Amino acid sequence: MNPSPAMGLKFICRMMRLTIIALFVFVGTAFGTESYSQVKRVTVVSNDISLKNVINQIEKQTNYLFVYNMNDINLNKNVSINARNQSVLQVLKEIFNNTNINFVLEGKNILLVKENKMSHKANLQQGTTKTISGKVVDSKGDPIIGASVVDKDNSGVGVATDVNGHFSIAAKPGVTLVISYIGFEPKKVTVKAGESFYTIELTENVKELDEVLVVAFGKMKKEAFTGSAGVVKSDELMKSQVTNPVEALAGRVAGVQLSNSSFQLGSSPSITIRGFGSISSDTQPLIVVDGMPYDGDLNLINPNDIESMTVLKDAASNALYGARGANGVLMITTKRGKVGASKITFDSKWGANSNGLRNYKTTNSKQFYETYYKMLYNYYVSSDGGSMSASDAHGLANKNLVDSSTGVGPGYMVYTVPNGQDFIQAGGVMNSGATMGAPYSYNGQQFWLQADDWQKEGLRDGFRQEYNTTISGASDKVNYYTSFGYLDQQGIQVGSSQKRLSTRVKLDYQAKKWLKVGTNFNYTKYDNSQTSEGTVGTGTIWSTIKTLAPIYPVYLRDAKKNIMIDHWGEKVYDFGRNYDLSRAGDVGGNCIFDNKYRTSDSDGNSFIASGYGDINIMDGLVFTFNANTYNYNSRYTYATSPFVDYYTGSSDNGYLYKSSSRTYTYNTQQLLNYNKQFGKHDISAMLGHEYYKYKFEFLGASGHNFGIEGTKELATCLNLNGDPSSYSSDYNNEGFFFRGMYNYDSKYYASLSYRRDASSRFAKKHRWGDFWSVGAAWLISKENFFNVPWVNSLKLKVSVGSQGNDNIGNYLYADSYTIVNNNNEAAYQWRQKGSENITWETNTNWNTGLEFELFNKRISGSLDYFSRKTTDMLFSLNTPPSIGYTSYYINLGDMRNSGIELSLSASLINNKDMHWDVNFNITHVKNKVLKLPDAVKTTTVEGHKGYVNLDKSFVSMYEYFVTEGKSLYTWYLPKYAGVDKETGEAMYYKDTVDNNGKVTGKETTKDPSLATNYIIGDALPMFYGGFGTSFGFRGFDFSINLNYQLGGKSYDYTYQTLMHTGGTTNTTWSKDIFKAWTPENKNTDVPRLRFSEKYSQNARSDRFLKNASFLSVQNINIGYTLPSSFTRKFSVDNMRVYFSGENLFYISGRQGFDPRYSLKGVTNPELYSPIRTMSGGISLTF
Amino acid sequence: MKRYHIAFAVLALFALSGCIQETTPSEYVLAPQIQKSESALKGMVNSIYTTMAGYSNDDGGVEEISYGSMLAMLEHGTTQLVCSGTNGYNTMGAYCTGSVSATGSNRGLYPSYLFYAYIKAVNDVIGMIGTDASQIDETKKRYLGICYAYRALYYMDVVQIMEYKTPTDKRYTYTTPENDLKNLGVPIVTEKTTSKEASNNKRATVDEVYDLILSDLKQAETYLTGYQRTDKVQPNLAVVYGLYARAYTNLASRVATSATYKDESSYWGNAKSYAEKAISESGCAPLTEDQWTDPVNGFNNRDSQNSWMLATSISEGNKTAATGGSFVFAMTFGTETNFSAYGWRVGRSLDRKWYEKLSNDDFRKKSWLAPNFFYESTNQKEGEPYLVEKDPQGNFINNKWCKDGNNLNTDQSDWSDDYSGFGASKYKYKLNSSASNIRSTINKSNGFQSWPWLYVNLKFRPHNGNYNTYEVGGATDFPVMRVEEMYFLKAEATLHTSGVADANKALEDIVKTRNPNYTCNATNAANFLTEYVFQKGIEFWGEGINYFDAKRLEVGLHRAYKGSNCERYQHCIDMNGVFVGWTPGWNQAELNSNQAIFHYNNPYTNPTTYYFYKSNDELRPYYGYDLSTDN
């Protein structure tokens, strides 16, 4: 904040106080509310009282603040007043009557200005002075009330604008007037002879509005903030067309990483802030919505309702969330009304969702058969394959390729070959006379087989529509915001869709002068339909389009090549097992059919009701009570149609599973805030208590044998299955906390916080933990000695503190048993090993950084260094299964995430017609395991003692080696040694060991099961971040946002699948298989292509690790705002039409490979593809 | 409102907050909760039985599996258990081809998880009872007896499964172990073993494991003497004798490998006498034909007959075990059950050669469906050899049982309920459903490549004969020990103690209860053992015992012949002696967390290196092929 020096020092002091009081008010009310009481009534009765005291009384009884220049305004004059329950206006009129003080009301500020009648007159007498008048307006042309207009050289001369923005002042030509107003850039105007009316437009000082930060249990002036935070504001959020608000964080806040384990509609991304802080516990940040911890579904929050999302990253910011703050906190703040006339907005957009996946470069059907042929041929001519002659091998390879019954070929022959000719000709090229599609007969029935495009048949473009309406406003006592939103979108697969209806009502009310109350009510209803995803090998459309050989039909066709229609009028699908047709490997089924006759719907609604009361106990002391309850009911329906029985092995005659769940949370907070200034010292303190309760309840049952088509309820199932179950789970958290803040002269800031927290996840004795932080900030630029003109502000900050993480499963502190029926007696069957001693995982965070504004605030940014050390790490200690259980938890081991964040934004052009802004952020995080318990150091690799973190999924594909000094996600894999130049077989490195098990050297082996696993590299990226730019010219605006990641290694499982060789297969090949070893092509690292291999030629190894860098175009937004002069004719204040594109394009290390699914470098081809959304829309403001 | 009122209200609001509320789980119970319960110990003992009825481990990727399914899964690596149907989704398929290394198979890791979970259940009870003799009342003594008997069973099973036996068929090359694995068994975990010890717990020698087994049996014998059990899931003294008989048979069979157990003849003597003691102590009698073929209670009810000495039981109320996953025994082996695609698409069949070898007079043959159940030519003449008619494309034609001649009909109404009957007596199979139901269901999944030469079993029936509802039909009992086994063990021991003639007679004793005309005329030990393995293989088909015998007696795996009812060429393995797929590897979690065995894992050989046939063409055209003409 840099007000013009001409404004006078007292003004600054008042402003300072204003912000501090504002801060106090904000802190005191979790949602910071203001009330502007134009008709506010006060009572001041005294026979002899100074004006200053009257002002103080008014300030106390109302929210008004007086702003004035101490040098000009003399408030020592005593007056006599008898005002009982009079409006402020009346009182002011009374006390300033017969003074030279004019007052202007503006919002909660009352500006006092000196009437310069005398000098005015004097100037007039000099004959050179004339009265000039003018109007001060904002960028929209609206009048600014209460702006000050001051003679630059004579600060005693000044007036304020009236309710129409008008002013008049006496000035001589040549005099420079400074026009200023809070929240706007001051402007200078030189009075010219002959010109008597000036229209002065002030531009908003955006930085000024940025000043307040949402922090734990309140708000805080950004200047006073000693921690580290990143903010995404509603304007950014509105540009990105996300359904789940969190998606908008991608690339926009330094230190934040998102990963989508699925892009299915209704799924939520994982959020990681400043690295993985834990091995066994959850690493998701705490979500706080409007001051209340939120354990609900983020998809249920309408992004349109959000004013800002603040990511709190360090100890100073998070310590007050004690137990739950270790992974950072995401504060979501919803919108509220703005003082003035009611504002109505309406926004609607329509668009399409399409597949954002870039698929692998794989063989087409011709290349697939040719490759398959080569694989067979190479085998038959080899000694293992019988050392056949070239012509015999050619014959047999062709036969086995084409003949579906041999169990050697792909099972389907979908080409017609001219009679008597070879399909694949000698040399391995397909007969040029072969044509796609082939007749097939079975038991006298005639069919036509032809390859289908599974992606085309299985996926679609989905329609997306979204409408949002808001009505908001504020008056002196009331502030309200209401919204209504409706979203309806189809996914890119038939059967996946999302509908959401959300409403919000937010109300603040100044009930008494000492009591303010407010409520915030949100209702959301949703209806999601989701399609199948799964673990590796499930055979969903997602893996099918990536890996299925491009020769298999989706449908069965009759002899006339038409898709057959069954007697229910439905298309007949090809399952790869009818009519003796069999896809190689016998993996039958048809994912498109399955999807068609399967429903997986969840619908539900959530209520969030919050209320608060602020009680002003005495001067500077405010008590706040916040209460919040969240009630989320969801009903899930899974059904497979009876129709499925006709085509598959099932005989359920329809299967239905229903479940109903409820999440109920409540949270109460009692906060006592105190604030006091004396001289240049400013102290504030808060004492608080919070109780949080979470309960989840579940009830589910299933049945089969549908009584009527389309059964969706168990009541119409003829048979119920005997598996109904219900359970609930609870979690409680309680904390007592304190925060103290101090600043001296707004230059030196210090903060201190402490929380004592309990979590029900631990045994009684180990339940309570202590968390704390201290922080300090120094505004160097405010020092007198600091004199660097191009630096507008410079802040140095440092903080340290600790937070806890209790994000593990419930009840891990005790051995647990499931209750099983043994002949109608209870059996306590072992479930899980518990460890009584487990307790808090503690994060100790150091953060130090600089915040700066340069070159007339054209460039601003921040640079932070952080070090986040996790100690007493909750550790799932793997035990050998021979002990009868596989793991238990202990608190042992330390880990550190340290790194640097840099955020920069620049306003390259900013004038009336054009603006051009750019922003950039980059984060580097290094994860390092510091200390491991000896008990887990069971394995020694390359001299490092540690343990193998075995992925517990079905495939056991991913293993990391965890050892001190290395990243938690350090790959542990066999090392590929290339191919044996003579035979073309894949080779791997293997340690040689002596009799004592000591490693003596290294050799190669062809048997991957003998290959030694080595430490390969870090899965986590080196750098990540985002950048973007926005540009506006007159009514046009354009913005683009990108995010990126550099470094890290991901395992490309799909590519591994596509580089197979050796077996009967229905899997297509990557085109890289063309580089396979042959006797003529020995210089390659792709192993030979040969059927029937003793050893796998594409075994798990570092050969399939890929650099995980990517660049993603997250969002493009293009809009045009119609001139208001035009729209006002239709009573529309603002009208913008726009186009928005989300998730448009990405580049990764290999086409098809998408490292955005997981930060840990794992991939799974069975997950819903990324969705690209493109929409056009219109927004109106009335 | 006065200020102090406000202040008071504020204080009151602060005071409203009590201390954090205690919570307890509702899906399961915590140790402190059950420790308060008087029935805790009993509940823990009961968990021994429920763990055998159903165990799963998400961490290890072990789906819900029962003891019966585990043994049956292992038996998929024997000659006589053949998978017909379509094997694309055969969850037990890895055992058919021997693809059961720890790192390459998610099924091979099952035994090394499962048995140690069982061992934990008994160790926990032993530990809970403690060693303070004054605290051990009669009930606790019985509990201890039960635990020691079961622990002996578990170790005996798992050591046989995990002991590495070097393959012997010289036609193939095998991966060699990293270190010498001779006589290495499994890590020993008792109630005293800490988790720290377990993480550096080497593979004890097989001898050491038998030291423990014999000592446990001795304890069990002591504690169970005089014990009248209430349920066949509880071992009694007869079971302990039966386990002794098994243990001594095993010891006698491995004196060449053993370092300390070298006294072969005394072991055979012990085996024989314990088998006899088990028979007399148990008071059990071999199954009768009625019991064997009972469609409602056949091999699924521990109480419907007096042959079973020890059983596992899935209670009707134990829905998880009755329905959980694809390893439910009744689902896997139930030919009539329509619970799951796995039930029918993969047929669990008797090897065709074995079927044809088995006398028609033997009532056990009624456990497998004869070919003419599915296909009989309209031109078949009574008394003439079985007639197979095919069109030029190789499709079966003129099937008497399908109404429009289409063998692939899936509608029950398209199939006949008629059946010419099996054998001279025109025996009609006892079914819970009907012939037309079985015949149509078989085609439902459109995949019976090996149709109609299935020889699928009817041995194991769904609980209560309920083939429709899996939570009822899946709640089956499974025989862990039948008295018939004692007769067989006695016969085998007799061979080694009294010679072939007595052994022939001992074998006849039991087999005559199945086929009154049966005689055994073996002239030497080798052909006695061949007959013994055959008869025992028929008797215990699907019960897992054959797996242990195959590995113990090194009988090889012989499924590669023209006319086999194997569905695919990968199953047609021909390997003499020790089959590589009989020894799974250790699970990766054990290798990672127990450093002492890291370099002592069982090696894995890729099955493609020992496939006998190169394609299904060498197999499928021969379905129905007359076996007497070739091979």
Side-chain angles (χ1 to χ4, degrees), chain B residues 508-529:
Chain B
E508 283 171 7
D509 280 350
I510 178 66
V511 180
K512 270 181 186 298
T513 63
R514 275 78 183 103
N515 171 8
N517 307 323
Y518 178 77
T519 54
C520 181
N521 302 314
T523 51
N524 58 36
N527 53 38
F528 173 82
L529 281 173

Side-chain angles (χ1 to χ4, degrees), chain A residues 1009, chain B residues 98-109 583-586 601-605:
Chain A
S1009 72
Chain B
S99 322
V100 289
S101 78
T103 47
S105 158
N106 47 43
R107 304 295 179 222
L109 53 81
T583 311
W586 287 94
N601 193 14
N602 299 329
Y604 167 70
T605 298

Side-chain angles (χ1 to χ4, degrees), chain B residues 301-599:
Chain B
N301 188 337
R302 65 197 186 285
D303 297 322
S304 67
Q305 32 64 35
N306 188 28
S307 136
W308 295 18
M309 297 167 63
L310 184 67
T312 65
S313 173
I314 299 173
S315 306
E316 274 188 46
N318 186 354
K319 304 292 184 199
T320 312
T323 62
S326 49
F327 296 120
V328 176
F329 193 87
M331 187 190 280
T332 315
F333 276 74
T335 291
E336 283 187 275
T337 55
N338 56 12
F339 316 148
S340 149
Y342 301 113
W344 247 117
R345 275 218 322 257
V346 183
R348 316 289 165 179
S349 303
L350 180 65
D351 173 73
R352 184 176 167 207
K353 270 191 175 173
W354 281 51
Y355 182 84
E356 297 204 353
K357 186 179 171 188
L358 182 59
S359 165
N360 277 356
D361 299 334
D362 194 316
F363 72 67
R364 295 176 298 181
K365 198 162 186 174
K366 294 165 184 171
S367 289
W368 296 278
L369 290 172
N372 72 340
F373 179 86
F374 291 101
Y375 170 81
E376 189 168 306
S377 166
T378 47
N379 301 316
Q380 176 78 47
K381 300 271 180 348
E382 175 127 19
E384 288 189 358
Y386 184 52
L387 176 66
V388 172
E389 294 188 279
K390 292 186 183 181
D391 68 10
Q393 285 79 41
N395 302 309
F396 298 95
I397 53 173
N398 300 330
N399 190 353
K400 209 183 278 181
W401 314 128
C402 56
K403 289 180 179 166
D404 63 357
N406 181 0
N407 290 321
L408 297 167
N409 275 331
T410 55
D411 289 338
Q412 196 177 342
S413 58
D414 289 334
W415 288 89
S416 166
D417 270 332
D418 285 351
Y419 171 43
S420 302
F422 157 70
S425 64
K426 303 284 177 209
Y427 173 80
K428 299 280 175 84
Y429 294 108
K430 292 183 186 168
L431 303 174
N432 288 301
S433 59
S434 63
S436 60
N437 179 60
I438 296 177
R439 288 165 179 160
S440 58
T441 340
I442 183 178
N443 287 322
K444 272 251 168 112
S445 52
N446 297 298
F448 264 73
Q449 303 282 11
S450 47
W451 199 94
W453 310 101
L454 291 164
Y455 308 90
V456 291
N457 89 90
L458 276 181
K459 178 177 175 179
F460 297 101
R461 311 289 189 150
H463 177 60
N464 280 351
N466 191 327
Y467 63 97
N468 277 320
T469 314
Y470 69 135
E471 65 257 26
V472 179
T476 54
D477 299 345
F478 176 83
V480 179
M481 185 183 283
R482 287 198 280 130
V483 74
E484 290 87 337
E485 185 191 355
M486 297 301 125
Y487 287 96
F488 278 97
L489 291 180
K490 186 181 153 191
E492 188 182 351
T494 303
L495 173 74
H496 296 284
T497 51
S498 324
V500 176
D502 286 353
N504 282 345
K505 201 180 159 305
L507 188 60
E508 283 171 7
D509 280 350
I510 178 66
V511 180
K512 270 181 186 298
T513 63
R514 275 78 183 103
N515 171 8
N517 307 323
Y518 178 77
T519 54
C520 181
N521 302 314
T523 51
N524 58 36
N527 53 38
F528 173 82
L529 281 173
T530 305
E531 179 62 13
Y532 172 82
V533 166
F534 175 73
Q535 290 296 343
K536 199 175 175 186
I538 294 290
E539 179 73 28
F540 294 103
W541 183 95
E543 295 176 50
I545 287 172
N546 298 329
Y547 159 77
F548 296 110
D549 274 355
K551 191 170 177 183
R552 178 172 64 90
L553 298 170
E554 303 183 4
V555 298
L557 183 54
H558 305 286
R559 293 193 291 223
Y561 59 89
K562 285 178 177 168
S564 150
N565 54 332
C566 281
E567 184 261 338
R568 55 187 54 203
Y569 74 96
Q570 289 92 338
H571 291 186
C572 292
I573 289 161
D574 184 61
M575 193 178 285
N576 297 320
V578 175
F579 172 50
V580 284
W582 286 337
T583 311
W586 287 94
N587 64 72
Q588 194 64 48
E590 185 76 28
L591 294 170
N592 289 339
S593 315
N594 180 0
Q595 49 194 325
I597 72 162
F598 190 77
H599 295 290

